Amino acid sequence: MVGRQADVLILSTADRAFLESQVRRHKAPRSLSDRCRMLLLCADGLQSKEVAERLGVHEHTVASGGVALRKPPTTSSHQSNASAKKQ
């Protein structure tokens, strides 16, 4: 099965334990537990298409779930963007 290979996601033991606990929580919102499952499957090295099939969602949903994984802008680029907006 060919699909978009996600960026390598490496979870610490503590991060993995937290995500797994959120999946098991009965009172956790479904959207949260679904995103946690997505992250865990991506960390296991699955392609986004395979993750989507396992969870019964569209591949784009898996890809957009990775938004939270993007690195925040560096301080210098954030400051230069802020100063450009002021002008």
Side-chain angles (χ1 to χ4, degrees):
M1 169 181 346
V2 178
R4 180 178 173 269
Q5 182 65 44
D7 293 335
V8 176
L9 175 61
I10 300 172
L11 297 175
S12 68
T13 306
D15 289 340
R16 180 172 286 279
F18 174 77
L19 291 171
E20 289 171 348
S21 72
Q22 295 304 305
V23 169
R24 288 190 306 267
R25 275 184 62 203
H26 295 289
K27 293 188 177 186
R30 171 95 191 251
S31 58
L32 174 63
S33 61
D34 286 348
R35 284 193 297 271
C36 291
R37 280 187 190 90
M38 283 181 208
L39 291 171
L40 289 166
L41 290 171
C42 289
D44 289 341
L46 298 178
Q47 294 181 344
S48 58
K49 191 170 191 173
E50 190 171 359
V51 172
E53 285 181 7
R54 285 190 183 195
L55 298 178
V57 297
H58 195 276
E59 183 178 356
H60 292 212
T61 303
V62 176
S64 67
V67 170
L69 301 176
R70 292 186 186 148
K71 293 179 183 176
T74 60
T75 307
S76 60
S77 66
H78 180 66
Q79 288 174 346
S80 62
N81 287 342
S83 62
K85 288 179 183 179
K86 288 181 183 178
Q87 295 175 359

